Amino acid sequence: EPWRATIISLAAGAAAVGLITLVAYRFQLNLATAAFLHLIVVVLLARHSGFAVASAISVVAVLSQTYFLVPPVLTWVVADWHNVVALITFGYCALTVSRLSSEAVRQTRRAERRSRDTEGLYEIGRLVLLMDRRREPGPQIATMIPRVFDCESVAIFDSSTATVAVAGDNLLDLEERTRDAYVQGRDEFDTRRRAWFRVLRVGNRPVGSLALRGGDISPAVANALASLVAVAMERARSFENESRTEAARQSEQLRTAVLDALAHDIKTPLTAIRAASSGLLETNLLDPAHAEL
């Protein structure tokens, strides 16, 4: 848990400062050397645990230097104003460096996360293009997302078929919540379940809804995944409609060919019959009843 990691970092930092101070006091190291070693500890903590922990340890370092290393030692009195300036300078430098270091770490982590998210979205887009068009898109996409983004469970509601495709663990009420998100037309984040609910839209037209539970998914990734899934489902529906149109066109062509063949088979004997009956009428040898027949 985060609070436990913070306590461990504070304890480790305080122990490191205490050890450096003890060595400096035992071997009579000057204040500048001890302050430099303390600054290294503060910078390392800033990179690993953040600005708050580093700031707390920098205060511990200033207090340790004041009590153990600044004459008169083992007192809180600072007799020389040079030492006052040195302590103030150390405290300012420690806070500034820890702030810059923690900010640099945050920027690096954000950049790494953006890169990881971009790669994941690219992979989802690639897999969407390779989907089996003969199968429903929802179950295929629901299986892809946990594999790429390492989330616990995914649910996709398809409004055209009124079905929910699910994948992953701890589904529980995820299907119902996914349907509700589509019906209510509302995007939300459930902090207790760590679940994103997004309405799938093509333009302004809702075509379904998406639920993502667990994992380290940012709002930008949730929105991008919703757009990708919506486009993939609309593409699958367009292909299905295109297939139906092509099947109907081929069926019409077959029907026309069959009717033409049947018409030809009927016309040929019918022409002969009409020719023969016309010839009989032209002879004028038939009585009225035979002529009528």
Side-chain angles (χ1 to χ4, degrees):
E1 297 179 1
W3 63 268
R4 183 174 299 175
T6 300
I7 292 176
I8 293 174
S9 297
L10 286 171
V17 168
L19 179 61
I20 292 172
T21 304
L22 179 62
V23 172
Y25 176 75
R26 176 67 177 80
F27 294 99
Q28 299 295 311
L29 299 180
N30 57 35
L31 180 61
T33 302
F36 178 76
L37 296 175
H38 285 161
L39 186 60
I40 293 176
V41 174
V42 171
V43 172
L44 292 176
L45 284 174
R47 292 183 60 84
H48 181 268
S49 304
F51 176 70
V53 173
S55 299
I57 296 304
S58 66
V59 172
V60 173
V62 170
L63 294 176
S64 299
Q65 294 168 16
T66 302
Y67 190 79
F68 289 100
L69 302 177
V70 175
V73 295
L74 302 182
T75 67
W76 298 108
V77 178
V78 182
D80 192 345
W81 67 271
H82 293 89
N83 291 328
V84 173
V85 173
L87 292 172
I88 294 174
T89 302
F90 169 80
Y92 175 78
C93 290
L95 292 175
T96 302
V97 171
S98 61
R99 180 69 177 180
L100 293 175
S101 179
S102 60
E103 183 64 26
V105 171
R106 280 198 298 270
Q107 292 286 355
T108 301
R109 290 175 179 171
R110 280 197 291 265
E112 291 175 350
R113 179 172 181 174
R114 283 194 297 268
S115 176
R116 185 173 63 252
D117 291 343
T118 302
E119 291 175 359
L121 292 172
Y122 171 80
E123 180 65 13
I124 292 293
R126 187 184 69 83
L127 293 175
V128 164
L129 293 176
L130 298 176
M131 281 195 312
D132 186 353
R133 295 183 176 183
R134 294 168 297 181
R135 297 167 52 199
E136 285 293 323
Q140 297 185 71
I141 301 173
T143 305
M144 297 173 190
I145 296 176
R147 193 167 65 243
V148 175
F149 283 95
D150 196 26
C151 52
E152 294 177 5
S153 50
V154 174
I156 299 175
F157 174 69
D158 188 347
S159 62
S160 64
T161 59
T163 57
V164 180
V166 294
D169 304 323
N170 302 323
L171 299 175
L172 298 178
D173 62 338
L174 199 62
E175 294 187 31
E176 182 180 353
R177 291 287 302 276
T178 306
R179 292 178 186 270
D180 292 342
Y182 170 76
V183 173
Q184 298 171 4
R186 183 177 62 191
D187 299 332
E188 62 177 337
F189 176 67
D190 188 335
T191 54
R192 186 170 64 87
R193 292 182 175 86
R194 296 186 301 117
W196 295 97
F197 296 92
R198 288 290 184 269
V199 179
L200 304 178
R201 293 183 174 88
V202 177
N204 293 324
R205 178 171 58 88
V207 297
S209 55
L210 170 69
L212 305 166
R213 173 179 287 167
D216 186 18
I217 296 179
S218 65
V221 170
N223 293 333
L225 282 174
S227 299
L228 273 174
V229 174
V231 170
M233 294 177 64
E234 185 68 11
R235 178 173 174 268
R237 294 290 167 249
S238 299
F239 175 75
E240 184 178 346
N241 293 334
E242 180 182 342
S243 299
R244 289 175 180 172
T245 303
E246 179 63 20
R249 186 184 66 82
Q250 292 179 1
S251 177
E252 179 65 22
Q253 286 181 342
L254 179 60
R255 186 181 67 85
T256 303
V258 170
L259 290 178
D260 288 345
L262 290 175
H264 179 269
D265 290 342
I266 293 174
K267 281 181 179 180
T268 300
L270 183 60
T271 301
I273 292 170
R274 291 190 62 178
S277 61
S278 298
L280 289 174
L281 290 173
E282 289 295 330
T283 61
N284 293 321
L285 298 176
L286 303 177
D287 58 34
H290 290 163
E292 180 63 24
L293 290 173

